Amino acid sequence: DERTFVIVGGGAAGQFTAQTLRAEGFGGRLVLVGADPAAPYDRTKLSKGFLAGKADKKTLPLRQPSFYQQHRIEVLTNTRATGLNLKKRQLKLEDHDPLHYDKLLLAPGSQPNTLPQLPGHELAGVLPLRTAQDAEAIREAAAGARHVVIIGSSFIGMEVAASLAAENEKQPNKERRITVVARGKEPFEKVLGPKIGAMFRNLHRRHGVQFKAEVEVEALEGENGRVTAVRLASGQRLPADLVVLGVGVRPATGFLDEAFELEKDGGLRVDAHLQAAEHVYVAGDVAFFPLAAGLGQHRIEHWRLAQQHGACAARNMLGQETAFSEVPFFWTQQYGKSLRYAGHAEEWDEIIFHGDVRRHDFLALYAHRNRLVAAAAMGRDDDMLVIMELLRRDQMPTPTAARRKTKWAKLLAR
């Protein structure tokens, strides 16, 4: 096989694409290009086990180096894509000759927002979290910090707070104050709703995390080039030895703006086969793709979805013409409590609850236009497994039927 398949991105989507291509019998040259200095690793551990001290660097890689050698996957780490020529089928690389491809998979992932407009953002001790190097820098800075301020109540921000607070509890004599400042009233309110957001806020407060909700950060203050405080628009100053930026991410698609007309948020539109142009496929955070069951075009930043994208794109690169039909799924774990979420609801008309949110034992069903489009749960794993399959089959009950206590397994049996 004299073909060359190139994959841009060393995250979940890129790694799983490479793995699937070999599993499906592709015998040509396979090149994986990643901007990160390390080979593909599990980013989900960074804000959870790694910062909490429960995981080390050895547990991060998705595959050992021998895997890539055995399956003849060329991994170019610390290599940044700088442009794309669709006509010549050439990928431009920084400090490398252009790569010619027969098929190309674009999965460059996201880059963290760093608030460049915020005075003081360049001070030492102001850190984002995206890479393993970022996580290591936060862990080292947190070890000697007495005051940690996390800007943003995103999943990354809240998981960082939970991990550092859990580490505090392991060392009772440690005097470290953790404060989350956010524009919104409740964490995750736009994704999960205010009731579940309030539950998470109260869970964090019980573990010593302080909240400053519905506030604006005006500036970061420092001495000798290092951050010392976060100043709010109200004039209040929060002491800070470490500031973690948990203010979201954006698609790392700047190198594609001449080759494609990108979406407003930087996403790249694809069809049901995850194809953006002839010979070019897209997976992961940057893919603006159509959800199954006619639920519209979306861009979703989920780890598991990125892997599923990678598997589907790999098969389509080999000519199998498989439409993407998987149900989005993500999870978050904080203080040993796990929340599962299936489906996708950017907006909803109502949330139907079963169980007790305050006791961390509930099922929440998100209804939009008289249709159940997503579910979130804690302590209801069996129900969630069934709901994911019902979503995949487009066989969810109506909101009216779902208001009654339903045994979900019986619905699947029908």
Side-chain angles (χ1 to χ4, degrees), residues 16 193 260 303 313 350:
F16 216 76
F260 292 99
W303 174 264
E350 67 170 323

Side-chain angles (χ1 to χ4, degrees), residues 29-49:
R29 184 187 180 197
L30 184 52
V31 185
L32 178 65
V33 178
D36 199 286
Y41 55 86
D42 188 345
R43 292 187 191 276
T44 66
K45 290 182 179 179
L46 299 181
S47 58
K48 301 179 180 74

Side-chain angles (χ1 to χ4, degrees), residues 330-397:
F330 76 84
W331 77 99
T332 185
Q333 188 174 58
Q334 299 172 35
Y335 308 107
K337 306 291 185 181
S338 294
L339 177 134
R340 323 284 193 200
Y341 182 99
H344 187 67
E346 291 185 355
E347 55 182 338
W348 55 83
D349 305 315
E350 67 170 323
I351 305 175
I352 301 166
F353 287 98
H354 294 295
D356 192 334
V357 174
R358 291 174 299 178
R359 293 181 181 274
H360 313 136
D361 181 12
F362 67 90
L363 174 66
L365 303 165
Y366 297 78
H368 183 54
R369 296 179 181 175
N370 201 38
R371 186 178 185 182
L372 296 181
V373 295
M378 296 181 81
R380 304 290 181 97
D381 286 359
D382 289 348
D383 286 345
M384 286 297 286
L385 286 169
V386 175
I387 287 170
M388 285 181 63
E389 181 61 17
L390 290 172
L391 285 167
R392 190 186 69 80
R393 296 182 186 182
D394 194 19
Q395 292 179 356
M396 285 289 282

Side-chain angles (χ1 to χ4, degrees), residues 37-230:
Y41 55 86
D42 188 345
R43 292 187 191 276
T44 66
K45 290 182 179 179
L46 299 181
S47 58
K48 301 179 180 74
F50 188 81
L51 282 186
K54 298 177 181 178
D56 57 26
K57 282 185 174 181
K58 294 179 181 178
T59 69
L60 295 180
L62 292 172
R63 292 288 188 178
Q64 295 303 314
S66 59
F67 173 85
Y68 301 105
Q69 296 166 5
Q70 178 184 350
H71 296 284
R72 297 182 297 111
I73 301 171
E74 301 174 38
V75 181
L76 301 182
T77 57
N78 210 20
T79 303
R80 192 172 300 278
T82 58
L84 177 62
N85 188 320
L86 293 172
K87 188 174 181 180
K88 292 183 178 179
R89 280 194 253 168
Q90 281 188 342
L91 177 70
K92 299 175 185 177
L93 302 174
E94 189 176 67
D95 299 326
H96 286 266
D97 293 333
L99 264 176
H100 178 271
Y101 62 85
D102 291 283
K103 299 286 183 183
L104 174 68
L105 186 281
L106 296 171
S110 299
Q111 55 195 42
N113 294 324
T114 54
L115 304 180
Q117 77 286 357
L118 184 67
H121 74 277
E122 76 290 344
L123 290 167
V126 180
L127 302 171
L129 176 55
R130 179 65 183 174
T131 67
Q133 298 98 302
D134 295 336
E136 191 166 18
I138 290 172
R139 194 158 78 170
E140 289 177 0
R146 293 189 61 192
H147 299 279
V148 178
V149 176
I150 298 166
I151 300 178
S153 56
S154 65
F155 283 99
I156 290 293
M158 299 301 288
E159 287 175 359
V160 169
S163 294
L164 295 181
E167 192 186 27
N168 276 1
E169 292 171 350
K170 287 190 291 184
Q171 305 176 54
N173 298 325
K174 196 175 188 71
E175 296 181 5
R176 181 167 63 194
R177 185 186 183 97
I178 301 167
T179 305
V180 176
V181 298
R183 288 180 173 179
K185 184 177 181 180
E186 304 290 0
F188 323 134
E189 187 169 357
K190 291 183 178 180
V191 179
L192 301 174
K195 193 171 184 178
I196 298 175
M199 177 271 292
F200 273 107
R201 172 173 51 80
N202 289 329
L203 176 63
H204 277 263
R205 280 181 169 170
R206 286 198 293 273
H207 287 269
V209 176
Q210 302 297 310
F211 272 83
K212 296 289 182 182
E214 298 180 289
V215 299
E216 291 283 343
V217 176
E218 190 171 77
L220 304 178
E221 300 178 354
E223 292 180 9
N224 301 319
R226 184 160 199 88
V227 70
T228 57
V230 175

